[in-house]
Amino acid sequence: MKISEWPVGLAEKDLIRAIVCFETQEKETNRLPFFADGFPGLIYFQSEAKVTVFAGIESKVMEPLFIYGQTIEPITIQFEAPFRMFMLQLFPSVIGSAFGIPIHELTNSCWSIPREEWGILQTLDSIENSCDIPETINSLVDLIVKRLANFKPDPILHQCIDLLVSHQGNYEIKDLTKLFGISERTLQRRFENYVGLTPKQFTNIIRFQSGLSKMKNSKKTQLTDIAYETGYFDQSHFIRHFKNFTKQKPFSFREKK
């Protein structure tokens, strides 16, 4: 599987957090796992075979263009090669404004975008018909931007998200409320309405992702060290969170990689 990250333009930085392309030619059934990361997104794939999304005990065959919400439960995308997939990771408040769906209704779920709303992407739904990667990405970004012509991001919410991410989830909620001069209840309401999570849930997910990244990048590092480096009280605290978000123990997860 070839995975490449593409830059987000300055004009779109308040809408799109990351752009990633996945490609493979392997002639077998592939399963691509995703874990909670705190951000919903838009996915567009090119494949000659059906693509199925598994979330818990539920599964759904998806249209080539769909959005997904907060993934508290691990999800898996199953596909056959040749296959190409583009993922635009979006700031959470974008979902409701761009697609008219409350973010909390998409938790652990996906929603296919009607084909008549695809624009130029209607002609690119197979790899044979596809244009080059930059042009496809530009078409996807343009689809998002056009839907958000009147969108005004919440500056406080964005700054809270940026602080929690930059501190790897190790930023006290009470310090956020003091910094921005708002009550904890107001902050919680904004997160629930526009992020689809409570501030505490978002913090836990970002900290988990920090630990997951360290596990992937340093396979010989002791779990105890990873736990302390990412702000957990101890190793058991880290293991408990890891199992909540992956349904696996970190030891088993490492053995599979």
Side-chain angles (χ1 to χ4, degrees):
M1 173 74 69
K2 179 183 177 182
I3 302 174
S4 56
E5 294 191 25
W6 292 75
V8 177
L10 288 176
E12 293 83 39
K13 65 181 180 62
D14 288 332
L15 310 176
I16 302 170
R17 185 170 182 264
I19 300 172
V20 186
C21 178
F22 303 80
E23 297 178 274
T24 185
Q25 298 293 326
E26 297 176 11
K27 300 295 183 179
E28 60 183 6
T29 299
N30 294 270
R31 294 175 69 90
L32 192 59
F34 291 93
F35 306 111
D37 62 15
F39 295 89
L42 173 76
I43 283 180
Y44 171 62
F45 64 80
Q46 295 160 337
S47 174
E48 298 305 314
K50 68 179 182 179
V51 173
T52 307
V53 174
F54 295 87
I57 61 173
E58 296 185 359
S59 64
K60 183 187 295 186
V61 176
M62 300 306 301
E63 290 290 329
L65 186 65
F66 64 92
I67 56 174
Y68 63 91
Q70 296 288 0
T71 53
I72 298 173
E73 298 287 327
I75 68 168
T76 301
I77 298 179
Q78 180 175 292
F79 56 89
E80 307 280 346
F83 175 82
R84 180 185 289 163
M85 183 177 81
F86 301 86
M87 181 176 72
L88 274 62
Q89 194 180 56
L90 305 175
F91 280 96
S93 56
V94 164
I95 292 291
S97 297
F99 301 100
I101 301 176
I103 183 68
H104 60 83
E105 292 186 11
L106 279 174
T107 300
N108 296 323
S109 186
C110 309
W111 180 75
S112 293
I113 299 175
R115 191 172 287 263
E116 61 269 18
E117 299 179 21
W118 289 13
I120 191 174
L121 294 168
Q122 292 187 59
T123 64
L124 307 177
D125 59 355
S126 70
I127 292 178
E128 286 77 6
N129 294 334
S130 66
C131 51
D132 61 14
I133 290 176
E135 188 175 347
T136 303
I137 289 173
N138 287 340
S139 297
L140 290 166
V141 171
D142 188 58
L143 183 149
I144 293 294
V145 170
K146 284 182 177 178
R147 285 173 170 263
L148 294 167
N150 300 315
F151 175 69
K152 291 182 174 57
D154 182 331
I156 290 179
L157 185 62
H158 266 249
Q159 289 180 73
C160 286
I161 289 172
D162 287 342
L163 278 170
L164 291 172
V165 171
S166 64
H167 285 78
Q168 300 179 346
N170 294 298
Y171 202 103
E172 293 291 336
I173 303 302
K174 63 182 179 181
D175 292 334
L176 284 178
T177 60
K178 289 178 181 177
L179 181 63
F180 296 108
I182 58 177
S183 68
E184 287 196 29
R185 180 58 192 145
T186 296
L187 182 65
Q188 175 143 335
R189 210 163 37 236
R190 287 188 182 184
F191 263 80
E192 289 175 345
N193 289 340
Y194 300 111
V195 179
L197 302 167
T198 66
K200 186 64 175 177
Q201 284 177 312
F202 185 82
T203 297
N204 287 340
I205 287 171
I206 298 304
R207 188 183 297 127
F208 152 73
Q209 275 291 332
S210 176
L212 179 63
S213 177
K214 289 182 184 297
M215 276 187 58
K216 290 178 177 178
N217 296 331
S218 52
K219 295 184 178 181
K220 294 183 179 179
T221 304
Q222 295 293 319
L223 291 182
T224 301
D225 295 332
I226 292 175
Y228 287 127
E229 287 174 13
T230 49
Y232 287 96
F233 298 124
D234 51 35
Q235 178 177 300
S236 63
H237 189 208
F238 170 62
I239 292 173
R240 186 165 61 252
H241 272 211
F242 194 92
K243 287 176 65 178
N244 284 343
F245 291 121
T246 67
K247 307 308 178 189
Q248 304 176 59
K249 293 180 179 179
F251 313 100
S252 302
F253 184 87
R254 267 187 164 172
E255 288 175 359
K256 294 177 182 179
K257 295 298 175 182

